[in-house]
């Protein structure tokens, strides 16, 4: 007796995990700007300055990779040169 083998059904178009990342990053940045204008966004105090500009964009894309691509926090921290604790704290906020 053999085992039944059903090949996976595939569609002709390829799947792209990063197809919506730019729209997602732009939406997150717009929401953060709106929260800063309302005063609802908490501003952290401490010795480090908050991430802005390209660093914030890179952090948002790293969080996308963790959530939608399955990367681990420590691995993405090493790949993008942002400490994983910083990335996780941004995600938790």
């Amino acid at each position: 007796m053999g085992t039944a083998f059903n090949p996976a059904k595939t569609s002709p178009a390829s799947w792209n995990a990063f197809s919506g990342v730019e729209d997602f990053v732009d939406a997150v940045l717009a929401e953060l700007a709106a929260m800063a204008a309302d005063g609802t966004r908490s501003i952290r105090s401490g010795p480090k300055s908050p991430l802005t500009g390209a660093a914030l964009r890179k952090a948002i894309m790293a969080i996308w990779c963790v959530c939608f691509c399955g990367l681990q926090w420590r691995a993405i921290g090493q790949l993008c040169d942002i400490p994983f604790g910083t990335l996780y704290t941004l995600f938790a906020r």
Side-chain angles (χ1 to χ4, degrees):
M1 295 204 310
T3 59
F5 175 73
N6 294 329
K9 296 177 182 169
T10 59
S11 62
S14 65
W15 182 75
N16 185 1
F18 296 106
S19 63
V21 72
E22 288 299 323
D23 296 332
F24 175 75
V25 171
D26 292 338
V28 169
L29 291 175
E31 184 66 26
L32 289 174
M35 289 172 67
D38 289 358
T40 57
R41 180 179 178 200
S42 62
I43 305 298
R44 62 178 271 191
S45 62
K48 292 183 186 177
S49 60
L51 293 176
T52 58
L56 180 60
R57 195 169 189 82
K58 183 192 269 188
I60 294 169
M61 290 178 76
I63 292 171
W64 170 279
C65 289
V66 170
C67 294
F68 294 104
C69 299
L71 285 172
Q72 295 180 351
W73 287 110
R74 290 186 187 264
I76 196 66
Q78 289 178 350
L79 290 173
C80 70
D81 295 328
I82 298 174
F84 75 93
T86 302
L87 292 173
Y88 184 77
T89 302
L90 286 171
F91 171 73
R93 283 190 204 161

